[in-house]
Amino acid sequence: MATYSFLDEMKIDFLEIINEKSSSAVDVDDLSIDYRASLENLLLKYMALCQSRAALLSRAKSVNDELAMQSALLRLRSYAMGLSSLFDAIADDAEAILKMGEWPELPEGYVLPDCYGNLGND
């Protein structure tokens, strides 16, 4: 089974950077990520729900059960939106962090130092 613990590690990093960069106390309830929840667990939950509804859709399609197909599609859409919201929250909070405090200006053509390996080569 795949693990996505990097999501919860990232969440901790976000909180630490927020505390370092913000000039005043930040209420995490005003941010997009639910900092009390495990992002890994949320991702795995929604992935499992999408997988089960995709399996239901396939089975219903094989017997031409349009009501079951419609039900599977509606739920699949809802769970996919949950996944999308999880990643939207990450993007929103990353943007909010970038707007906090002072950051050095990235020079044009900046390349990560070799000490980071190929982590930034994307």
Side-chain angles (χ1 to χ4, degrees), residues 36-102:
R36 290 174 294 278
S38 166
L39 298 184
E40 178 180 13
N41 288 344
L42 286 172
L43 176 67
L44 293 173
K45 170 187 162 186
Y46 283 114
M47 291 293 289
L49 289 168
C50 284
Q51 183 179 17
S52 71
R53 291 310 176 245
L56 171 60
L57 177 64
S58 182
R59 187 164 182 195
K61 182 182 169 290
S62 72
V63 295
N64 201 30
D65 183 343
E66 289 190 350
L67 290 174
M69 284 189 282
Q70 183 179 19
S71 175
L73 287 166
L74 287 169
R75 293 231 168 89
L76 184 58
R77 177 185 180 277
S78 175
Y79 300 143
M81 288 176 66
L83 277 171
S84 177
S85 293
L86 172 68
F87 290 104
D88 285 343
I90 292 169
D92 289 347
D93 282 5
E95 182 176 352
I97 292 168
L98 287 167
K99 292 179 179 178
M100 289 179 183
E102 296 291 322

Side-chain angles (χ1 to χ4, degrees), residues 15 27 60 118:
L15 286 173
D27 184 355
N118 58 358

Side-chain angles (χ1 to χ4, degrees), residues 110-121:
Y110 174 76
V111 176
L112 285 171
D114 291 339
C115 65
Y116 295 109
N118 58 358
L119 288 175
N121 296 333

